[in-house]
Amino acid sequence: MSPLAISGMNSLQQQMKAMANDAKAGKVSLQLGSMQPLNAPAAGVTKASFASELDAAIKSISATQQAANTQAEQFIMGKPGISLNDVMIDMQKASIGFQSAIQVRNKLVQAYQTIASMAI
């Protein structure tokens, strides 16, 4: 690894430690304060519903799983240009996405059960 890459990684690590210390101290970073959500709607555009966002997330997870499975099949068949490292990383990404979806489902069921058990 080049010295430039190592110094860049060290710099990034120092920034992350500083941000973590600031968060522990209750300070809000100026960088974080100015960040916008990834899918922030443009001005004048209505926000999507929760159901449509959930549907889009599920479709994204499904696409990630399908791509990982396709890449694994191609690796098994010996297609050139596909490394085991890439296959394993993509499989882990798909697994993490699926586990996240399961956790969201569990929280939704828990919220439903809490609301259903409330006295009116």
Side-chain angles (χ1 to χ4, degrees):
M1 203 174 267
S2 73
L4 183 59
I6 292 173
S7 68
M9 289 174 27
N10 288 337
S11 173
L12 179 61
Q13 185 179 19
Q14 289 173 350
Q15 289 175 358
M16 290 173 62
K17 285 181 181 179
M19 289 176 74
N21 289 335
D22 286 348
K24 286 180 184 175
K27 298 177 187 175
V28 176
S29 170
L30 293 176
Q31 294 173 342
L32 293 177
S34 64
M35 294 178 83
Q36 297 295 322
L38 287 176
N39 295 325
V45 177
T46 59
K47 292 184 179 180
S49 70
F50 178 77
S52 65
E53 289 295 322
L54 185 60
D55 185 51
I58 291 171
K59 287 179 181 177
S60 174
I61 291 168
S62 178
T64 303
Q65 288 178 324
Q66 289 174 354
N69 287 335
T70 300
Q71 189 176 30
E73 289 172 2
Q74 290 173 347
F75 176 77
I76 290 170
M77 289 192 260
K79 184 175 179 182
I82 298 179
S83 69
L84 179 59
N85 294 339
D86 292 338
V87 172
M88 295 304 295
I89 289 170
D90 287 345
M91 293 296 282
Q92 281 299 321
K93 285 180 183 178
S95 176
I96 289 169
F98 183 69
Q99 292 298 320
S100 298
I102 289 173
Q103 292 301 318
V104 169
R105 182 213 54 189
N106 291 344
K107 290 293 182 181
L108 287 171
V109 169
Q110 182 182 11
Y112 173 79
Q113 289 173 341
T114 301
I115 292 170
S117 67
M118 288 182 178
I120 297 178

